[in-house]
Amino acid sequence: HAPLLRLALKAAGEEDEPAAIRAVAVAYAMTGLLRAVPFHATQRRVMMPADLMAAQAVSERLLYEMKPGAGFTAVTRDVAARADDLLR
């Protein structure tokens, strides 16, 4: 993805190419992890930040059952907001 990101950023007039590519790549990865939550849960894996999960008292067991509760919504919003911050 790096060559495509590099081309897109040059077309947008971005001067600080390496930092911008890294930010876009990390934001893209974070978004991918959010999208993959159901897939990971079916495999009994959690790829969300453990500190955010603990702070919201999210139960991995309930996440595996696809019933994570409101705390998980807060976790996903936080991860999405961090990805958005990287893109700004």
Side-chain angles (χ1 to χ4, degrees):
H1 292 77
L4 182 58
L5 287 174
R6 201 172 277 120
L7 179 62
L9 290 168
K10 281 187 181 192
E14 180 61 50
E15 296 295 327
D16 190 16
E17 186 181 303
I21 289 172
R22 179 175 165 76
V24 170
V26 171
Y28 182 79
M30 291 170 77
T31 303
L33 287 174
L34 287 171
R35 292 180 60 212
V37 165
F39 172 77
H40 289 142
T42 62
Q43 296 185 346
R44 303 186 68 76
R45 294 187 302 167
V46 177
M47 306 300 279
M48 294 292 99
D51 60 330
L52 298 179
M53 297 272 290
Q56 294 295 329
V58 175
S59 163
E60 287 186 17
R61 181 183 57 79
L62 290 177
L63 178 59
Y64 298 152
E65 295 173 9
M66 302 297 185
K67 302 174 187 175
F72 192 70
T73 300
V75 171
T76 59
R77 284 187 180 146
D78 193 16
V79 171
R82 291 179 187 197
D84 189 53
D85 288 344
L86 285 169
L87 296 176
R88 291 183 193 278

